Amino acid sequence: MRIAMIGTGYVGLVSGVCFSDFGHDVICVDKAEAKIEMLQAGKVPIYEPGLEALMAKNVAAGRLSFTTDLAAAVDGADAVFIAVGTPTRRGDGHADLTYVMAAAQEIAQAMTGYTVVVTKSTVPLGTNRQVKQTILKANPQAEFDVASNPEFLREGAAIDDFMHPDRVVVGVQNERAAEVMADIYRPLYLRDFPILTTDLESAEMIKYAANAFLATKITFINEIAGLCERVGADVKEVSRGIGLDGRIGNKFLHAGPGYGGSCFPKDTAALARIGQDHAYPMQITETVMRVNDEVKSRMVEKLRDALDGSFNGKTVAVLGVTFKPNTDDMRDAPSLTIVPALIGGGAKVRVVDPQGRPEGEDLLPGVKWMDDPYHAVRNADLVVLLTEWNEFRALDLKQMARKMETPRMVDLRNIYTEKSAKRAGFEMYLGVGR
């Protein structure tokens, strides 16, 4: 199959590389010349474990290339995937479809034969029908079908998720489009991974419902954690106890400082807005969004309590600022609430993050970036574990405690225990929900 992938952001690049590894001929398109030049030079503009090596392998095999020329990429393609950004529109919570519709118009002018136009971006219900109308308006003679193919990639584990998915969701309007999509995903069919073929609206809704449910699960355990602190229960034991119930499961039950990232914040906001537009409020989702913001604020107060009620004049070492480990993504990360609150309160903040600095330098002005956690805690009043990078899971706590002015730790990921911290010489240890 010949595939054009419009957009080389996180979803587009990972999907394009993985499709080429399936054996398809893939051309990835982006308007950003600097990004295409970087990709053509073999460099990946995002951090995703294993992606650079897989990209190099398929470029060398002649199955993968990069261009700014959309028309050339679309000409003769069996399928064209739209994988452009759909950020939250400022002011109303809607997903901004400007880039999706602009791509649809360009695709319409470039198609030369039957093509399936596949929306990979996360889009509100009805968008694929809008894409169809946009193409027909721009090129009434176009021979094409539309399909919805939402992504379910976890940052930091995206390649494995693509190659070994829980499921692949495909929304189509007819059998011809379904056959093209089946050919594209044939390697997964042959390995018996579940492929769900459904209508357009159901495919669109599956994506939003899945992310809203996971965000709800995270927020539920974070709210339970707050109550655990009041009543003396341990949220890690509570999570283990309820997670053993097969109806609940143990994933996404790790208490922490709230969810962030590229998907959950914008997708819950979009789903809430869709509900409002259809006079059917998504009350649970709206509450999840509000509670998640409150969780982040509660973490700030936890840090303030650890510093005797004031940040002013204190030195704080923050370990990890990306929204999760194994990614450089800072979008809606809890650190963007917590670190500015520290600085705004008069603290001197030192940050260590294996991949967060390139984005974080602009987003977190006023912090001092350091490479070594042991240097970062020297003469510090508090160390905060904010992102659970592997580098922070086996720290020499005794060495850290010795270097600090006042050895205090706030562990927002519950990596350690109060017992181990106190044994290492910390005078204070605070976790979440414990």
Side-chain angles (χ1 to χ4, degrees):
M1 304 291 286
R2 185 169 181 213
I3 295 172
M5 184 67 64
I6 313 302
T8 61
Y10 187 85
V11 173
L13 184 57
V14 171
S15 299
V17 170
C18 289
F19 278 140
S20 70
D21 204 56
F22 282 177
H24 302 306
D25 292 322
V26 180
I27 305 176
C28 294
V29 183
D30 205 291
K31 289 183 178 296
E33 291 185 10
K35 184 185 284 189
I36 292 299
E37 288 173 1
M38 179 184 292
L39 290 165
Q40 289 173 338
K43 298 178 182 178
V44 175
I46 59 173
Y47 177 74
E48 178 61 36
L51 184 58
E52 188 169 314
L54 193 65
M55 185 179 87
K57 168 190 168 185
N58 286 285
V59 168
R63 293 188 295 264
L64 179 64
S65 60
F66 306 95
T67 184
T68 57
D69 190 344
L70 184 144
V74 171
D75 183 13
D78 298 293
V80 179
F81 284 76
I82 298 175
V84 297
T86 54
T88 300
R89 199 163 66 193
R90 189 171 295 177
D92 64 5
H94 270 301
D96 188 341
L97 299 178
T98 302
Y99 303 118
V100 172
M101 296 308 162
Q105 286 184 320
E106 289 191 58
I107 291 166
Q109 300 296 342
M111 287 190 294
T112 54
Y114 177 73
T115 308
V116 178
V117 180
V118 189
T119 304
K120 198 73 176 166
S121 305
T122 300
V123 294
L125 274 73
T127 299
N128 283 278
R129 293 186 185 274
Q130 286 181 249
V131 167
K132 185 174 184 177
Q133 292 306 312
T134 297
I135 294 173
L136 284 172
K137 184 176 180 180
N139 182 3
Q141 307 305 315
E143 186 183 7
F144 72 101
D145 282 307
V146 295
S148 175
N149 181 213
E151 56 84 20
F152 300 96
L153 305 178
R154 295 170 298 160
E155 294 189 40
I159 293 173
D160 188 62
D161 283 349
F162 200 100
M163 300 298 191
H164 307 91
D166 291 330
R167 78 294 201 195
V168 173
V169 176
V170 175
V172 292
Q173 291 181 299
N174 56 50
E175 188 61 31
R176 188 179 185 185
E179 289 176 358
V180 170
M181 297 302 293
D183 284 341
I184 290 172
Y185 281 105
R186 188 164 304 284
L188 299 183
Y189 274 105
L190 295 175
R191 287 183 282 161
D192 292 326
F193 289 105
I195 314 288
L196 174 63
T197 302
T198 183
D199 58 272
L200 295 174
E201 284 76 14
S202 295
E204 292 167 339
M205 180 62 88
I206 286 168
K207 172 63 175 180
Y208 280 112
N211 277 355
F213 187 86
L214 294 175
T216 300
K217 202 170 179 183
I218 292 169
T219 304
F220 175 81
I221 202 62
N222 283 338
E223 195 167 47
I224 290 294
L227 185 57
C228 284
E229 292 177 4
R230 298 291 182 92
V231 303
D234 186 336
V235 75
K236 290 200 77 170
E237 297 302 315
V238 174
S239 296
R240 186 176 296 115
I242 65 176
L244 290 170
D245 188 324
R247 298 166 299 176
I248 297 173
N250 61 3
K251 294 182 179 179
F252 289 82
L253 285 179
H254 302 289
Y259 64 75
S262 60
C263 293
F264 290 174
K266 76 177 181 67
D267 290 353
T268 50
L271 183 60
R273 188 65 198 190
I274 292 167
Q276 293 166 7
D277 288 348
H278 289 80
Y280 196 87
M282 295 286 97
Q283 297 178 65
I284 293 175
T285 301
E286 290 174 0
T287 301
V288 163
M289 295 162 59
R290 175 178 56 79
V291 172
N292 188 61
D293 288 339
E294 292 172 357
V295 167
K296 294 178 184 179
S297 297
R298 195 172 79 231
M299 298 302 110
V300 173
E301 295 312 308
K302 186 183 288 289
L303 302 189
R304 200 187 311 275
D305 290 343
L307 289 170
D308 303 320
S310 175
F311 298 142
N312 193 38
K314 305 296 175 57
T315 299
V316 181
V318 177
L319 306 186
V321 290
T322 54
F323 89 94
K324 63 180 287 189
N326 298 321
T327 180
D328 57 357
D329 198 339
M330 293 283 295
R331 283 174 285 186
D332 282 293
S335 63
L336 299 182
T337 297
I338 294 169
V339 173
L342 288 168
I343 294 174
K348 297 177 181 177
V349 180
R350 304 166 181 167
V351 169
V352 180
D353 190 289
Q355 296 293 332
R357 186 169 183 172
E359 282 195 37
E361 282 187 319
D362 290 333
L363 296 171
L364 297 173
V367 309
K368 183 176 182 180
W369 291 88
M370 305 185 76
D371 296 325
D372 188 309
Y374 301 102
H375 291 164
V377 301
R378 189 184 300 276
N379 299 322
D381 300 288
L382 178 69
V383 59
V384 182
L385 284 161
L386 189 48
T387 309
E388 65 276 36
W389 285 91
N390 282 338
E391 289 88 335
F392 305 145
R393 288 185 177 275
L395 294 168
D396 184 339
L397 297 186
K398 288 183 179 180
Q399 183 183 163
M400 298 193 87
R402 285 197 303 268
K403 290 176 178 291
M404 296 180 69
E405 180 71 24
T406 56
R408 301 180 182 186
M409 176 187 292
V410 176
D411 180 0
L412 298 182
R413 298 293 179 174
N414 291 336
I415 296 171
Y416 299 99
T417 64
E418 183 176 19
K419 183 178 180 181
S420 64
K422 292 287 183 69
R423 190 168 57 234
F426 279 87
E427 66 182 47
M428 175 188 287
Y429 171 90
L430 296 176
V432 176
R434 312 172 84 180

